[in-house]
Each structure stands twice: as C-alpha cells, then as structure tokens.
Amino acid sequence: MSNSNPFSSAFEMQRTMIDQSRRAAETTLDAQRAAVETWSDSLESAKSLQESGVALSKTAINAYLDGLGAVFPEESITELEAAVDEQFEAGEEIHEEAWLSFLESADEAEAVFDDLTETQSELLEESFDAIEQIQTDAAESAEEAVESAEELAESA
C-alpha cells in the first residue's frame, strides 16, 4: 500500500486487530481444551482418593471390632465382622460400577467436547480467513481508488 494512501494506517490497524482477535480466540480454545483435560485427569485421582477413604473407614471399623472382641464373646463379634465385611464388599462393588459408569460418561463427554471444539476451531479459522480476505480486498480497492484519484488530479 502506498504511503500516500490516507487509508493505509486504518487498514494496517484493522489487520492488527484481526490478528489479535484470531490469537485470542485460539488461546481461548486452547485454555478450554486444557481445562477439560485437567478435569478428566483428576477423575482417576478422585476415584483413588475415595477408595482410600473407604479403606480407611474399613480399617477403623475393623480395629473397633477387634477392640470389642476383647470385651464381648468372640462368636458375637465374628458375626458382626462378617456382616461388616459383607456390607463393605457390596459397597465396593457398587462403588466400582458407579465409577466405571461415571468415567465412561466422562470419556464420552470429553469426546463430544473435542469434536465440538474442533468444529468451533475450524469455523473460527474459516471466519478469520474470510475477514482477512475482505479486509485485503477493501485495502486493495482503497489503494486503487487513491491511485485513480491521484492520476485524475495530475491529469487535470
């Protein structure tokens, strides 16, 4: 673009704004992807933490029952220990099934999010490409108009 074009700086500023907007949109999408990945990665840790809490509870209850064994007849404590163990086993099965279902749903949600994010990224790229093309065409038209006006002024 010629320096004599009064629109040069406006088009240059517009180009800079378009580039900054593109980078901001890309950064936002990257941040969203990172947040979803972090959330997804944290689910296994949450499951492990919950399992540790259940194991700690079981250990505490068994220690309590062992203490009761010193005071009460062994038969009554043995039955109580068996009932507690049975309840913990049932709870662990339910816990495992629930977590498997939850993790599968989370994986599916993450896959859908990835697909939507990819589509959004493609649409943003196409939109910015179109905006840049329109801006380039407008700058070229302005340049041609200025050149025509200069030629007309020189010939007059």
Side-chain angles (χ1 to χ4, degrees):
M1 207 168 274
S2 76
N3 290 335
S4 64
N5 183 341
F7 302 109
S8 297
S9 59
F11 282 114
E12 200 54 44
M13 184 177 69
Q14 189 178 46
R15 170 62 87 174
T16 300
M17 290 173 48
I18 292 168
D19 290 341
Q20 289 174 349
S21 295
R22 179 189 291 257
R23 283 194 301 276
E26 290 169 351
T27 300
T28 300
L29 285 176
D30 290 343
Q32 289 174 353
R33 284 185 187 114
V36 169
E37 287 175 15
T38 300
W39 174 77
S40 181
D41 292 345
S42 73
L43 294 179
E44 280 297 330
S45 297
K47 178 180 184 262
S48 178
L49 183 63
Q50 189 177 34
E51 288 170 345
S52 295
V54 170
L56 181 62
S57 296
K58 184 177 180 180
T59 301
I61 290 172
N62 283 335
Y64 176 75
L65 292 176
D66 288 345
L68 287 179
V71 178
F72 294 101
E74 188 176 324
E75 310 82 45
S76 62
I77 300 303
T78 303
E79 289 177 22
L80 188 54
E81 285 175 338
V84 167
D85 287 344
E86 185 179 307
Q87 291 303 308
F88 269 102
E89 286 174 17
E92 288 169 359
E93 285 177 23
I94 292 168
H95 177 264
E96 189 61 30
E97 289 173 12
W99 268 103
L100 284 175
S101 176
F102 178 71
L103 291 174
E104 285 175 11
S105 295
D107 286 344
E108 290 172 10
E110 186 177 2
V112 168
F113 177 82
D114 287 344
D115 290 344
L116 289 173
T117 302
E118 185 60 33
T119 300
Q120 184 179 16
S121 180
E122 290 169 4
L123 289 172
L124 280 172
E125 185 175 339
E126 290 171 8
S127 296
F128 278 109
D129 288 346
I131 290 169
E132 287 174 348
Q133 186 59 51
I134 291 169
Q135 194 267 349
T136 299
D137 293 346
E140 289 172 0
S141 294
E143 179 76 23
E144 291 171 7
V146 168
E147 288 174 7
S148 293
E150 288 172 352
E151 289 173 9
L152 186 61
E154 288 174 7
S155 67

